[in-house]
Each structure stands twice: as structure tokens, then as C-alpha cells.
Amino acid sequence: QVQLVESGGGSVQAGGSLRLSCAASGVNDNRRCMAWFRQAPGKEREGVARIYTDNGNTFYRHTVEGRFALSQDNAKNTVYLQMNSLKPEDTGMYYCAADRFCQGLGTKDQHSWHYWGQGTQVTVSS
């Protein structure tokens, strides 16, 4: 089993920054790949970015590339999502996901990720 706990959400104005954290525990093999998804009101959940923790390889949704950055602290079993130049369309509930293998970030791919956190709210005002 894997447990994921997100933190760091909040309310900011457009152009601001937030750093989300996802603290993981449980079987290491089951969380080699970790990702962030988000869900805006009335919309489907979509993947934002993922990181393969074994080698640090990352992949980002094109709408956040250059603004968001993933990092990890292996000693703390934590993955971070640094979000800069935030836009109102970044608003949503952000969820951390984990799986043994990296899955896709599409709306349909969310069902392929086995472990999920409870989410943390991000609100960006214009």
C-alpha cells in the first residue's frame, strides 16, 4: 500500500507562486512514478506533471511547461510541485498520484494510477 498526503495549496493572485508537497509512505516499488493531477469545477481531472523517482525524469502538460517544476527529496519521500506565474485557469483541486510505472496524464489515464491523495485546493484570482 501507498499513502499520499498533499499540502501547500492556497489562494494567490495571478502571477503568484505556490509550492505543493506530496509526502509518500508505503511500499517504495509501488510509488516509483508520481504525478500531479488537477480538477477544476465542472471539468474532468487532468494530469499536470509526473516524475519517475528512480532517475528524476519529468514530463509536463504543455500548458504548464516552463511555469511548473517538479522536484523530489528522497530523504523525506516527498515530491514537490513548484508553480510559478499562476493563472486563473490553474485553479482547481490538486491531487498527488503514484504508481509502480509511469502512466499517462490524460483524463482517461487517471484510472491507471493506483494511489491517490486527498487533494489540496489551489485558487488563483485575476
Side-chain angles (χ1 to χ4, degrees):
Q1 288 295 330
V2 172
Q3 294 77 42
L4 304 172
V5 179
E6 304 97 332
S7 62
S11 297
V12 296
Q13 290 190 328
S17 298
L18 284 173
R19 188 178 79 157
L20 306 184
S21 301
C22 176
S25 60
V27 180
N28 283 343
D29 277 354
N30 289 343
R31 49 183 171 89
R32 285 184 170 176
C33 197
M34 296 181 68
W36 286 95
F37 281 73
R38 67 186 179 191
Q39 187 166 19
K43 294 188 177 181
E44 292 191 80
R45 192 177 298 186
E46 64 178 15
V48 174
R50 68 174 185 238
I51 182 168
Y52 188 59
T53 59
D54 279 10
N55 57 20
N57 280 353
T58 56
F59 180 83
Y60 299 91
R61 171 174 289 272
H62 71 280
T63 53
V64 306
E65 199 161 15
R67 300 189 296 122
F68 291 11
L70 284 164
S71 61
Q72 60 182 351
D73 184 334
N74 292 334
K76 295 182 178 180
N77 292 323
T78 299
V79 168
Y80 303 98
L81 181 67
Q82 178 67 43
M83 306 187 295
N84 300 324
S85 302
L86 283 162
K87 304 176 181 180
E89 50 264 43
D90 294 318
T91 293
M93 185 69 79
Y94 281 68
Y95 298 91
C96 181
D99 203 275
R100 178 182 291 257
F101 305 106
C102 283
Q103 310 294 334
L105 296 179
T107 54
K108 295 181 179 179
D109 296 316
Q110 62 176 304
H111 305 293
S112 300
W113 294 82
H114 281 85
Y115 303 101
W116 291 87
Q118 293 301 307
T120 185
Q121 178 67 36
V122 171
T123 303
V124 184
S125 58
S126 57

